Amino acid sequence: MIAILSESVLFKNISDKEIADLLETAAYRVAAYQAKDVVALQGAPCNHLMIVLSGLLQGQMVNDAGKLVVIEELQASQLLAPAFLYAPKNNLPVNIIAMETSEILFIHRDDFTHWMQLNKQLLQNFLMLISGRSHFLSDKIMFLSLKNIKNKIADYLLRKLSDTSPDVIHLTETQQEIADSFGVTRPSLARALAEMEQEGIIAIDRKVIKVCNMQLLRQMGQ
């Protein structure tokens, strides 16, 4: 467990011994979940710091139209909803669902407060992490509310490009998973992809997408 925690941004520049010493001062617990288990429901109070030790979890929200929206996916060493731990209204804004067999470390807020009083580096790391979360959430809100489906697709594809693959994207997600992350239906996503292909912006071969007009794709992704 200490090896996993040491990989977290929360414990950056903190030694394994310091992590072990902190754990000895808290009555923490580790809980295991199976795929599709509900870890926490939207609206539940967030009284514990939650760190993913293994597996894959999703923060999910149902929009006004009743459509599932995947806010984010979280893997080992990442924190679940840390921005709400000390909020005046500390209710979780999303449902947290295990997507595969997973383990989560729970540390009560009071114990974590004590940890930050003991370790200045931990306090600085937590503040930096919270600041980063604010940027992530504002970008997510902008992505979900201000862009149409084609804008979202363009933004998604541009993020998937790399130096080693400058114009080809090998999708690792299904269309349903991508649609859920966009907050749209799968048929709507499929139609938008087909239109972009007809417009000569991309070419699709199953789960491989080739960018045919990078200039238009970048304009669409802005």
Side-chain angles (χ1 to χ4, degrees):
M1 181 169 65
I2 292 177
I4 297 170
L5 294 180
S6 66
E7 297 176 359
S8 172
V9 174
L10 182 62
F11 293 97
K12 183 179 180 181
N13 296 324
I14 298 176
S15 69
D16 289 356
K17 183 180 184 307
E18 288 176 297
I19 296 174
D21 290 342
L22 289 171
L23 287 171
E24 289 183 359
T25 68
Y28 65 85
R29 65 183 177 91
V30 175
Y33 299 90
Q34 300 301 312
K36 305 304 180 183
D37 281 354
V38 176
V39 176
L41 288 172
Q42 181 178 340
C46 181
N47 295 321
H48 290 79
L49 181 75
M50 297 175 283
I51 305 175
V52 183
L53 296 179
S54 65
L56 177 68
L57 296 105
Q58 281 187 352
Q60 301 177 351
M61 184 180 292
V62 178
N63 65 17
D64 293 337
K67 182 70 181 67
L68 174 70
V69 181
V70 176
I71 302 301
E72 66 176 329
E73 291 190 335
L74 296 155
Q75 299 176 321
S77 81
Q78 293 183 288
L79 278 63
L80 299 170
F84 295 88
L85 188 60
Y86 294 99
K89 294 184 179 180
N90 66 330
N91 303 98
L92 290 170
V94 296
N95 297 316
I96 299 175
I97 310 296
M99 303 309 295
E100 60 188 42
T101 302
S102 306
E103 285 189 330
I104 300 175
L105 171 66
F106 290 84
I107 303 163
H108 193 274
R109 179 175 57 195
D110 293 343
D111 287 322
F112 185 63
T113 300
H114 181 59
W115 283 13
M116 290 190 291
Q117 292 171 340
L118 292 174
N119 193 304
K120 181 180 179 180
Q121 182 65 56
L122 183 67
L123 173 60
Q124 292 176 339
N125 290 347
F126 185 71
L127 293 174
M128 182 178 66
L129 192 150
I130 293 300
S131 297
R133 295 296 299 170
S134 298
H135 283 292
F136 166 80
L137 292 173
S138 63
D139 288 346
K140 191 70 176 182
I141 291 170
M142 181 73 71
F143 177 80
L144 291 174
S145 64
L146 299 183
K147 295 185 175 184
N148 62 38
I149 297 178
K150 289 184 181 179
N151 293 144
K152 292 177 180 179
I153 292 172
D155 181 86
Y156 171 83
L157 294 178
L158 289 168
R159 292 176 185 273
K160 289 289 185 179
L161 292 173
S162 65
D163 293 337
T164 57
S165 182
D167 60 358
V168 176
I169 300 100
H170 295 268
L171 299 178
T172 58
E173 302 164 283
T174 65
Q175 282 198 6
Q176 185 61 62
E177 289 171 335
I178 296 171
D180 288 342
S181 69
F182 288 4
V184 301
T185 63
R186 190 193 61 76
S188 296
L189 174 68
R191 282 195 300 271
L193 284 167
E195 289 174 5
M196 291 175 69
E197 188 170 29
Q198 291 171 0
E199 293 164 0
I201 301 172
I202 58 175
I204 304 173
D205 182 10
R206 297 185 180 182
K207 300 195 76 170
V208 177
I209 296 180
K210 178 178 175 58
V211 179
C212 302
N213 192 321
M214 184 63 74
Q215 182 178 357
L216 281 179
L217 188 70
R218 292 190 185 281
Q219 291 175 355
M220 191 174 290
Q222 293 179 348

